[in-house]
Amino acid sequence: HVMAKRGADQLLEESEQSLLDSSSHIGVSSTSAAMDHLADQKKIRVDNIPSKVLHVRGLPLDVTEHEVYAALAHYGATRNILLLRGKGQAFIEMADISSAMNAVSFCSTANVRGHLARVQYSAHQELKVDAPSAAGAGGSEMPT
């Protein structure tokens, strides 16, 4: 199916909801327990399915697309980057699944200006971004 274009906050919310939905298979019954489990899964996602889209968190709040690109360029070509400005997070779509797997396998943490950023697979298989805005909140094509 075709996914509609999303804003950064909606993409992050859907990723968190996907994690919450996945917690139901382990018998979490209360909302509080489900939220605790969600917090734990956000830290360590053992059953994460490989995706071309990576979620990176723990970045400097004023990180640039170029800095994110530079941190992951060694592992393969990058197609799109969507920064979550002010949250220290980004979604990165790699050119192919093997590039994404290399990044997660060999770079589960990346040092970006002294911040130890966590690299993991996103629940999304494709990153849809609008054209870059004047504020720079959109994604952009990165050189391959």
Side-chain angles (χ1 to χ4, degrees):
H1 71 284
V2 177
M3 295 187 332
K5 292 186 178 185
R6 311 180 161 89
D9 289 334
Q10 183 180 358
L11 188 63
L12 184 59
E13 182 179 308
E14 288 175 3
S15 292
E16 290 173 351
Q17 184 60 47
S18 174
L19 285 174
L20 188 58
D21 291 346
S22 71
S23 70
S24 64
H25 74 279
I26 62 168
V28 176
S29 58
S30 74
T31 303
S32 177
M35 293 310 288
D36 289 344
H37 181 71
L38 173 63
D40 289 343
Q41 278 198 353
K42 287 172 79 173
K43 294 174 190 162
I44 301 172
R45 294 178 61 183
V46 179
D47 60 345
N48 208 353
I49 298 169
S51 167
K52 290 191 305 185
V53 180
L54 303 177
H55 179 224
V56 182
R57 58 190 170 91
L59 294 164
L61 297 181
D62 62 343
V63 70
T64 65
E65 288 182 2
H66 180 73
E67 288 174 308
V68 175
Y69 169 73
L72 296 174
H74 178 73
Y75 304 100
T78 304
R79 285 216 176 129
N80 288 306
I81 295 177
L82 178 64
L83 295 179
L84 297 147
R85 298 221 186 265
K87 293 187 177 189
Q89 299 181 39
F91 287 95
I92 300 93
E93 181 179 1
M94 302 300 283
D96 53 53
I97 195 76
S98 64
S99 295
M101 291 174 75
N102 282 337
V104 171
S105 295
F106 299 110
C107 184
S108 62
T109 57
N111 187 336
V112 179
R113 263 194 286 138
H115 290 249
L116 195 58
R118 304 279 305 160
V119 179
Q120 61 190 33
Y121 297 114
S122 169
H124 301 281
Q125 294 295 318
E126 183 177 24
L127 184 59
K128 297 286 188 178
V129 293
D130 295 324
S133 69
S140 65
E141 291 274 331
M142 298 305 292
T144 56

